[in-house]
Amino acid sequence: PVAGMTLDLGDAGPQSDGGIRVDSILEDWDMAWLTLRSSGGTESIGIAQIESDGSLTPIDGAILEGGSSFYTDGVSSPVVVDDGDSLRMFFAGVNGDIYTIGTATSNDGITWNIDEEPVLDPELRSNWESNGAIPGSIETDLESGELRLWYSGHDGDLWNIGTAVQDENGVFRRDSVFEVGSPGEWDDTSVRDPWIVTADDADGTPTTWLFYAGFDGEQWQAGLATRSGNASIFERSWSER
């Protein structure tokens, strides 16, 4: 695990003078992928080596930057998964003020080939994600191998959490939405930043834990929702200021 404050502004070169954030870790690869922000606000993606003591040694400079199409003005929020044959990255590309989820593949985690088509068809956006989408986590069905993408969607004002499932042709189709809480709850205004963990609970029941951020109009808090067995609805469990 990576513990403590291990990176500071500028540690990954001038592309990180304005900010640096750890977004994705693969311990089997001893790598962590980062969002870098320049002093001018341009975002790019960097990488760091995970050392034996859990500290990070960043590689100077960006490994993925803005280019064309939906990511003209920058890239950020990498979510990297090992699909067995190669690495696959989901990332947020920005064009103007609209964020769109893209994907790229790599054999070494450093050099990436970007798919110029977005993961989710922008023409089919729902109102709650009309101003953009940012990847959060990937859930893999261990039996079927099905991939489910969890992401944050923004309508220009508020956030919600959505999912998309990869079909047999490799195309992601929008699926369900984890909506804000009931009026008066700690997350009744916005929810975002989903992180999924799937495993058997203490009784051997397959369980999905959804960690996420919730907003009540005044402050953001961290929360947890769970789904057990064949249940289709998540039950909110707790929040932490």
Side-chain angles (χ1 to χ4, degrees):
V2 176
M5 179 61 70
T6 57
L7 296 176
D8 204 350
L9 298 181
D11 279 358
Q15 290 96 333
S16 62
D17 283 348
I20 187 168
R21 182 180 74 231
V22 179
D23 285 307
S24 192
I25 292 172
L26 286 182
E27 290 188 85
D28 288 345
W29 286 71
D30 292 327
M31 289 182 177
W33 289 267
L34 322 168
T35 292
L36 312 179
R37 179 183 288 268
S38 71
S39 57
T42 300
E43 292 179 320
S44 57
I45 291 173
I47 192 171
Q49 181 78 23
I50 303 176
E51 306 296 348
S52 58
D53 62 357
S55 64
L56 297 178
T57 301
I59 294 176
D60 194 45
I63 61 169
L64 209 61
E65 298 180 284
S68 60
S69 184
F70 64 91
Y71 61 100
T72 300
D73 298 317
V75 292
S76 65
S77 306
V79 177
V80 180
V81 294
D82 187 343
D83 66 7
D85 297 321
S86 61
L87 295 180
R88 189 174 187 184
M89 177 193 292
F90 296 82
F91 65 91
V94 63
N95 185 357
D97 60 355
I98 302 297
Y99 282 86
T100 302
I101 298 174
T103 188
T105 55
S106 174
N107 291 321
D108 61 8
I110 299 173
T111 302
W112 293 86
N113 298 312
I114 296 178
D115 186 341
E116 295 297 327
E117 294 296 323
V119 172
L120 301 175
D121 188 343
E123 300 299 323
L124 300 178
R125 283 192 178 114
S126 301
N127 289 336
W128 64 269
E129 56 179 326
S130 58
N131 203 57
I134 297 174
S137 186
I138 296 292
E139 177 185 1
T140 304
D141 188 303
L142 297 180
E143 293 184 0
S144 67
E146 177 186 82
L147 291 182
R148 179 182 297 272
L149 168 66
W150 289 78
Y151 66 97
S152 304
H154 194 236
D155 64 4
D157 185 28
L158 305 176
W159 292 89
N160 277 283
I161 292 172
T163 70
V165 177
Q166 188 178 37
D167 65 19
E168 63 275 9
N169 297 316
V171 178
F172 278 87
R173 310 289 185 185
R174 289 172 172 85
D175 188 31
S176 58
V177 178
F178 180 80
E179 298 179 338
V180 299
S182 302
E185 295 294 330
W186 66 274
D187 59 352
D188 64 359
T189 303
S190 282
V191 290
R192 62 171 295 175
D193 300 331
W195 183 256
I196 288 291
V197 177
T198 56
D200 291 345
D201 66 10
D203 298 322
T205 302
T207 303
T208 301
W209 290 268
L210 168 61
F211 298 87
Y212 67 100
F215 186 59
D216 63 2
E218 295 184 357
Q219 62 180 343
W220 286 94
Q221 301 177 61
L224 171 67
T226 58
R227 181 179 64 193
S228 299
N230 295 322
S232 58
I233 303 299
F234 278 90
E235 295 186 4
R236 287 165 163 83
S237 300
W238 53 257
S239 66
E240 183 69 31
R241 294 181 185 274

